[in-house]
Amino acid sequence: MKIIAGNSNLPLAEAISAEMGLSPAKSTIRRFSDMEIFVEIQENVRGEDVFVIQSTSYPANDNLMELLVVIDALRRGSARRITAVLPYFGYARQDRKPAPRTPISAKLVANMITAAGADRVLTLDLHAGQIQGFFDIPLDNLYAAPVFTRDIKARLHGENNITVVSPDVGGVVRARAVAKRLDADLAIIDKRRERAGVSEVMNIIGDVENRRCILIDDIVDSGGTLCNAAVALKEAGALEVYAYITHGVLSGGAVARITASPLQMLVVTDSIQATEAVKKAHNIEQLTIAQLMAEAIQRISNETSVSSLFD
Ligand code: R5P
């Protein structure tokens, strides 16, 4: 078995490899002067079970292209099986046509990964479960929920007034899974804009007064959804608001918005490499998914059950 580390998140690729007692295979991934990507795998991969670790996070297009070029190099190097490991699967939010003449980019990216030569995909907290069906090759979707619940139990040790909150109706299944693991109550925020140009009304369904609220989501990008939810929960009488969000995209002014918000703590995973601003933020922490990803890779390689990781 071999691990190839793309450039999007080298610390995670190295941590996953270390968990498995391996080092990433020697490879050169560099740029021509016009920024085209050049890849050379410097170890024999003929007949190998190869895992390419690459999040398609910012800069999404460059990281996606790098993944495709690496897969092509492995296919032409006669790897036996190529698994594209995307701790963060970018373009996933464009998973349907919200208006006429718009793309379904998640499907396009699935086609590109398959056409490049991937035999299977391993990812984490896909934005929407149905994206699995965009691939005609096997896809394993892992969940950060066990990593989150371990940390929540340690952080809020002994607290029994916890309410898990979904920041929108679309995230209820994800939040309910965490609430079940914690044996906690569930609340849902129903975001509504009554009229164009009128600010959003946040209707909270469930009991949050005098509760410690934990927001669960898959992506925090601009931080708008998260910070508005935190304000609404505090206004509704929540004692403290925490957030556990798998993918810290955190673009634009997100970090500034979060540090100025009433959020006690935002916890993200290292599916996306933290920027210096994220590392310095007083109320943002990162949890590693290296062990979870390593265990899943090992199970895929050994052809044993991946789903039983979550039993
Ligand atoms: C939406 O469906 C997602 O689950 C996230 O809530 C959303 O992508 C967060 O985006 P932002 O941080 O820009 O509000």
Side-chain angles (χ1 to χ4, degrees), residues 93 127 167-168 174 191 217-226:
R93 284 171 285 182
H127 178 62
D168 54 35
R174 197 175 291 113
K191 260 186 309 195
D217 209 348
D218 61 329
I219 295 171
V220 49
D221 186 353
S222 69
T225 305
L226 174 64

Side-chain angles (χ1 to χ4, degrees), residues 37-38 54 76 117-118 125 173 225 244 271 303:
I37 296 163
F38 173 79
Q54 176 80 328
R76 292 173 197 283
D125 278 333
V173 173
T225 305
Y244 282 75
S271 66
E303 315 224 312

Side-chain angles (χ1 to χ4, degrees), residues 1 199 288:
M1 182 219 282
S199 71
T288 188

Side-chain angles (χ1 to χ4, degrees), residues 105-138:
S105 308
K107 170 62 177 156
L108 174 64
V109 169
N111 287 348
M112 289 161 82
I113 292 172
T114 311
D119 296 293
R120 49 189 309 133
V121 172
L122 173 64
T123 187
L124 175 75
D125 278 333
L126 262 183
H127 178 62
Q130 61 270 24
I131 295 171
Q132 292 172 64
F134 293 1
F135 287 89
D136 283 329
I137 53 175

Side-chain angles (χ1 to χ4, degrees), residues 218-256:
D218 61 329
I219 295 171
V220 49
D221 186 353
S222 69
T225 305
L226 174 64
C227 295
N228 290 343
V231 169
L233 291 170
K234 286 295 270 188
E235 283 173 357
L239 290 178
E240 287 176 331
V241 183
Y242 299 84
Y244 282 75
I245 302 188
T246 310
H247 307 296
V249 175
L250 299 169
S251 64
V255 174

